Amino acid sequence: MFNTTPLTLPPQRIRIFSLPPWLSAFAVAVETALQCAELSKSPSKTEDVPTKLVAKAVPLPMTVRGHWFLSPRTEYSVAVQTAVKQSDGEYLVSGWSETVEFCTGDYAKEHLAQLQEKAEQIAGRMLRFSVFYRNHHKEYFQHARTHCGNMLQPYLKDNSGSHGSPTSGMLHGVFFSCNTEFNTGQPPQDSPYGRWRFQIPAQRLFNPSTNLYFADFYCMYTAYHYAILVLAPKGSLGDRFCRDRLPLLDIACNKFLTCSVEDGELIFRHAQDLILEIIYTEPVDLSLGTLGEISGHQLMSLSTADAKKDPSCKTCNISVGR
């Protein structure tokens, strides 16, 4: 789920997510459907995508409301031309306007709230668990011991999941799982990431001093759906990053992952019908858990490394883009 190659996404492009204002109020009179705009994605500008607007001839000024379904984190160029029907039935067509270039941004909090609502609808009942775990190859853990001071260091999140997720290529963290098998209550023995597993008691990463954020909801052309959650110690760098970008969840009462006090003891539960991907934003000391080899198979087909979201799935897509 993580790689070490940073994305070079200019920070100033993060918040823009609409067409330039003058486009939404461009005065033009047309009687039938006319090609009046072209949008082309960058960096490949060889393919023009025609867009049609329809309006009835009315006295100027007027507004033509056009709708473009734009993908987030994408560069576009836009040009406009107008056409007016003459008395002889012919159209007087203007030249193309000056081209305007702009870049759409990440999902805003309201978009993520829509994804969260969709995820809540299929989350299912809550199951108890007691450990977070990270699967990887033996060499990965050996490197952490010998070169990283026995610490699992945060990595830059890759581009898996929704294209507009604010965490992709921006947030550093250590990826963990917490799902258990419903019949045993234990982590599954199979893994798509490697045959070695580090397990750490849940309270080491998740407790009342930790904030929990919803980050994404997606699938990969399969029946399985994934939710990405972020655990960030309060006041940490990761917490400050998430505070302005991601919906904050109540750790004791939400549909995905909970930590609550029952009879003086911390009890942890996870959603049964979602595969949860947990990003912990701080380094993790290997001495706080246990490391061992699992007995199951390595199911590479379930890996989410740089996984692309299915844009046709009605369960996990929203209308603002993929």
Side-chain angles (χ1 to χ4, degrees), residues 19-72:
L19 291 174
W22 62 269
L23 277 179
S24 63
F26 197 90
V28 57
V30 291
E31 187 177 42
T32 186
L34 299 173
Q35 177 179 319
C36 68
E38 290 183 344
L39 293 100
S40 58
K41 292 183 179 182
S42 301
S44 175
K45 297 189 177 181
T46 59
E47 180 183 359
D48 288 333
V49 183
T51 301
K52 292 185 177 181
L53 301 182
V54 180
K56 295 223 174 178
V58 296
L60 294 175
M62 64 161 287
T63 298
V64 173
R65 290 192 174 97
H67 298 277
W68 290 270
F69 293 95
L70 306 182
S71 295

Side-chain angles (χ1 to χ4, degrees), residues 8-249:
T8 54
L9 185 66
Q12 65 269 24
R13 292 177 176 169
I14 293 302
R15 307 312 302 174
I16 306 172
F17 200 46
S18 60
L19 291 174
W22 62 269
L23 277 179
S24 63
F26 197 90
V28 57
V30 291
E31 187 177 42
T32 186
L34 299 173
Q35 177 179 319
C36 68
E38 290 183 344
L39 293 100
S40 58
K41 292 183 179 182
S42 301
S44 175
K45 297 189 177 181
T46 59
E47 180 183 359
D48 288 333
V49 183
T51 301
K52 292 185 177 181
L53 301 182
V54 180
K56 295 223 174 178
V58 296
L60 294 175
M62 64 161 287
T63 298
V64 173
R65 290 192 174 97
H67 298 277
W68 290 270
F69 293 95
L70 306 182
S71 295
R73 284 195 175 191
T74 305
E75 292 183 352
Y76 288 91
S77 60
V78 181
V80 176
Q81 94 182 140
T82 64
V84 179
K85 190 174 184 180
Q86 305 298 295
S87 58
D88 59 2
E90 297 296 322
Y91 286 93
L92 178 62
V93 182
S94 73
W96 287 100
S97 70
E98 179 183 353
T99 298
V100 174
E101 296 185 350
F102 63 97
C103 181
T104 53
D106 299 334
Y107 284 156
K109 274 189 177 181
E110 53 265 34
H111 303 136
L112 292 171
Q114 293 177 44
L115 281 178
Q116 178 184 330
E117 184 177 351
K118 282 178 165 285
E120 289 173 345
Q121 293 173 2
I122 69 164
R125 67 190 182 105
M126 302 294 283
L127 301 178
R128 286 184 62 164
F129 75 101
S130 59
V131 297
F132 290 104
Y133 56 94
R134 176 166 173 77
N135 301 310
H136 220 298
H137 300 291
K138 186 177 182 179
E139 293 75 17
Y140 166 79
F141 295 108
Q142 289 177 334
H143 182 270
R145 281 177 166 168
T146 57
H147 298 285
C148 301
N150 209 45
M151 305 289 287
L152 299 180
Q153 295 293 336
Y155 290 84
L156 190 67
K157 185 192 174 299
D158 65 10
N159 288 318
S160 59
S162 300
H163 187 51
S165 173
T167 60
S168 294
M170 300 296 289
L171 179 66
H172 288 77
V174 183
F175 163 70
F176 283 91
S177 300
C178 67
N179 288 84
T180 58
E181 295 180 323
F182 73 93
N183 56 336
T184 67
Q186 299 299 315
Q189 284 300 305
D190 298 326
S191 164
Y193 302 107
R195 293 182 57 84
W196 284 79
R197 174 173 293 167
F198 171 68
Q199 292 190 168
I200 184 170
Q203 63 267 26
R204 292 288 190 176
L205 306 184
F206 192 23
N207 53 64
S209 297
T210 311
N211 276 332
L212 175 66
Y213 296 91
F214 177 86
D216 201 4
F217 177 48
Y218 71 101
C219 71
M220 304 182 298
Y221 302 89
T222 68
Y224 302 107
H225 275 85
Y226 299 79
I228 299 178
L229 307 175
V230 180
L231 286 174
K234 292 180 179 179
S236 65
L237 183 62
D239 186 41
R240 294 196 297 272
F241 173 90
C242 295
R243 188 180 306 152
D244 297 329
R245 297 172 174 86
L246 306 179
L248 178 67
L249 301 177

